[in-house]
Amino acid sequence: MNEKHTELLAFDRENIWHPYTSMTNPLPSYLVESANGVHINLATGESLVDGMSSWWSVLHGYNHPALNKALVDQSQKMSHVMFGGLTHAPAIELCEKLIRLTPSGLNKVFLCDSGSVAVEVAMKMAIQYWISKDLPNKNKMLTVRNGYHGDTLATMAVCDPVNGMHHMFDQVLTKHYFAPSPTISMFDQWDAKDTEQLEAMFIEHHDNVAAFIIEPIVQGTGGMKFYHPQYLKTCRELCNKYDVLFIADEIATGLGRTGKLFACEWAEISPDIMCLGKTLTGGYMTLAATLCTNEIAHGISNTEAGCFMHGPTFMGNPLACAVANASLNLLETTDWQANISRLEQHMKTHLLPLKDHPRVYDTRVLGGIGVVELKQNVEMAEIQKRFVEMGVWLRPFGKLMYIMPPFVTTNDQLDQLINAMATILNEDNCFKD
Ligand SMILES: Cc1ncc(COP(=O)(O)O)c(C=O)c1O
């Protein structure tokens, strides 16, 4: 590391917040110079195989020529114009694609800034819809434990209230209704008992519930659990039966990660509202979308306000839309499903057997997601350092080591990630007692 790098890191450590680490005694940050394909290149010269897709967002790899070109071309026309009173081809093209690709019935698109905002927009849509029906008391959310939907105040209120990261805010968060989380895994025999308590909550509270919100099939940050599609199907039925809107938070699962284009497809359901983010721009920049049905959009437009009460400054940012279009074009013209099933098969063969290690509680694989659930918490700074030494970028949390590599990762690169995890399992100093 040269003097300039040392200076940059010293400033960073002293002045810049990083996610979920102390400002006074932060975990180390590694200085990145560039990223290419599936590699993150550090200023110190190491080239790391990325197992995280920069938190579920990178699909086709870093520094992709088609995505770069889309950005450069668009920047030469306009990087941004306000969306109030103006519109443009990149946003129109993107919304046309999203309507075409998402499950049927989702015909109206609200473009917004980030996943958390997309979820807030979804919740506001649901509440405003019931106001239009003269049912303003239907303003709570029903959800399940172990969920994660974002870090803003409104989204924290639908994250797991106990095991989540936000329980210290309990006093200020809106109180919603929480059913037990699904317990039957995608790979086990379905038992209708799993939704009994959920139905009881629908029966008891539906008069006050605007929407039911859930991450379809994969509870991500809340434990990387894959639950049974029948659970999701029953959620849809319960929403219909008790007149509650269904919000599918596909921010982590959308656009192929589970092996289906949308995780809702595992249960062959369409939600009333769907949130997308993360992968939308192929991991290039922040953009999210909340889609809803005509019925909801018409209802909202019939309220006293006559419109939906939300409108971010960077709504429909042309650069973000242009790169999203390029990413979706690539997805549509490449055999992403073959890539995901290759990754899945490879992880099933090489990652699942890590279950036999005494430190491991469980291993599971779905689509492009591989999880090693541990019996102990990881020692973050140490494990991160060791992964970097082994040439991989992985960021475990709590008792979870997991990979969700870019779709274009080769089997050899995947082996590097899995071998690094296998090696780490034997290193005592990487785990808490
Ligand atoms: C399911 C889900 N919803 C919402 C979010 C929040 O997205 P963002 O971090 O872009 O605000 C996340 C982020 O991890 C997520 O996984």
Side-chain angles (χ1 to χ4, degrees):
M1 187 163 340
N2 65 29
E3 216 172 290
K4 179 72 189 156
H5 298 152
T6 311
E7 258 175 47
L8 287 173
L9 279 178
F11 184 90
D12 183 289
R13 191 178 168 84
E14 187 60 30
N15 301 290
I16 307 181
W17 292 101
H18 282 263
Y20 292 103
T21 189
S22 162
M23 188 74 247
T24 49
N25 183 25
L27 290 165
S29 287
Y30 295 85
L31 191 62
V32 179
E33 194 112 290
S34 64
N36 232 306
V38 301
H39 286 98
I40 294 175
N41 307 314
L42 299 187
T44 37
E46 296 95 333
S47 186
L48 313 177
V49 175
D50 178 21
M52 303 300 298
S53 292
S54 281
W55 275 336
W56 310 76
S57 67
V58 175
L59 294 180
H60 316 290
Y62 297 91
N63 213 347
H64 193 287
L67 274 59
N68 289 357
K69 182 173 184 318
L71 266 185
V72 170
D73 289 353
Q74 184 54 44
S75 71
Q76 282 159 7
K77 294 181 193 151
M78 62 188 166
S79 292
H80 186 61
V81 290
M82 63 188 280
F83 216 47
L86 299 173
T87 192
H88 45 79
I92 295 166
E93 191 189 322
L94 174 60
C95 295
E96 178 278 319
K97 283 186 204 302
L98 293 179
I99 291 167
R100 179 163 51 77
L101 293 173
T102 51
S104 66
L106 298 168
N107 294 324
K108 301 286 187 270
V109 191
F110 191 98
L111 296 170
C112 48
D113 323 51
S114 70
S116 299
V117 176
V119 172
E120 296 227 2
V121 163
M123 294 198 285
K124 282 174 69 177
M125 278 181 175
I127 292 166
Q128 211 180 318
Y129 171 75
W130 290 113
I131 291 173
S132 82
K133 298 283 160 206
D134 234 0
L135 292 168
N137 289 338
K138 278 174 83 69
N139 57 27
K140 298 283 185 211
M141 301 293 139
L142 173 59
T143 185
V144 293
R145 293 283 308 271
N146 290 333
Y148 178 76
H149 299 284
D151 284 353
T152 55
L153 273 169
T155 58
M156 285 197 293
V158 286
C159 294
D160 188 288
V162 179
N163 302 325
M165 298 174 280
H166 306 311
H167 53 88
M168 78 171 84
F169 295 100
D170 188 48
Q171 293 301 313
V172 293
L173 297 179
T174 307
K175 299 283 174 276
H176 295 297
Y177 300 115
F178 289 86
S181 52
T183 60
I184 298 176
S185 133
M186 176 154 203
F187 313 111
D188 291 335
Q189 182 70 30
W190 172 246
D191 182 340
K193 279 202 180 70
D194 215 24
T195 48
E196 277 176 3
Q197 288 193 59
L198 177 65
E199 175 149 23
M201 296 200 74
F202 268 93
I203 294 170
E204 191 179 346
H205 300 298
H206 68 274
D207 282 346
N208 299 109
V209 173
F212 172 74
I213 177 165
I214 194 164
E215 297 153 273
I217 301 297
V218 182
Q219 289 202 288
T221 308
M224 301 295 287
K225 299 248 168 60
F226 311 140
Y227 65 87
H228 203 286
Q230 185 57 45
Y231 189 99
L232 194 59
K233 218 180 176 64
T234 306
C235 295
R236 176 68 273 185
E237 288 161 9
L238 293 173
C239 284
N240 292 347
K241 189 166 167 190
Y242 296 103
D243 237 357
V244 165
L245 298 179
F246 188 112
I247 303 175
D249 178 351
E250 291 255 12
I251 287 162
T253 49
L255 301 176
R257 179 55 71 185
T258 67
K260 305 272 187 196
L261 197 54
F262 300 98
C264 281
E265 291 173 19
W266 286 104
E268 296 173 334
I269 58 148
S270 272
D272 301 302
I273 302 178
M274 179 186 270
C275 305
L276 298 174
K278 289 192 183 279
T279 44
L280 195 51
T281 61
Y284 262 53
M285 54 205 293
T286 183
L287 180 71
T290 307
L291 289 96
C292 73
T293 59
N294 288 336
E295 159 73 12
I296 293 174
H298 292 160
I300 288 172
S301 305
N302 280 335
T303 46
E304 196 187 324
C307 61
F308 180 50
M309 298 308 272
H310 203 101
T313 306
F314 284 98
M315 188 170 185
N317 174 256
L319 284 178
C321 291
V323 76
N325 285 327
S327 177
L328 291 175
N329 284 345
L330 270 180
L331 200 65
E332 287 194 272
T333 53
T334 53
D335 196 354
W336 65 268
Q337 252 164 330
N339 253 342
I340 285 286
S341 70
R342 175 183 56 78
L343 294 176
E344 182 174 41
Q345 279 318 313
H346 203 79
M347 287 195 281
K348 281 186 171 163
T349 311
H350 300 281
L351 181 147
L352 287 184
L354 298 182
K355 185 164 184 187
D356 296 335
H357 194 283
R359 226 187 270 283
V360 175
Y361 174 73
D362 188 29
T363 51
R364 44 193 180 266
V365 168
L366 174 67
I369 313 166
V371 183
V372 178
E373 188 172 341
L374 304 157
K375 294 178 185 163
Q376 292 154 279
N377 283 309
V378 299
E379 197 65 71
M380 195 55 176
E382 192 54 35
I383 204 167
Q384 193 89 83
K385 181 166 111 274
R386 286 290 296 126
F387 278 137
V388 168
E389 282 166 6
M390 286 188 268
V392 299
W393 181 248
L394 292 173
R395 184 139 175 114
F397 68 91
K399 294 188 169 117
L400 293 167
M401 280 205 297
Y402 59 99
I403 49 178
M404 47 184 64
F407 293 7
V408 292
T409 307
T410 64
N411 288 353
D412 284 349
Q413 290 161 337
L414 196 52
D415 281 338
Q416 264 182 273
L417 294 165
I418 297 170
N419 291 341
M421 291 201 286
T423 306
I424 281 288
L425 286 173
N426 296 318
E427 299 191 8
D428 290 347
N429 55 341
C430 290
F431 300 92
K432 294 191 170 145
D433 293 331

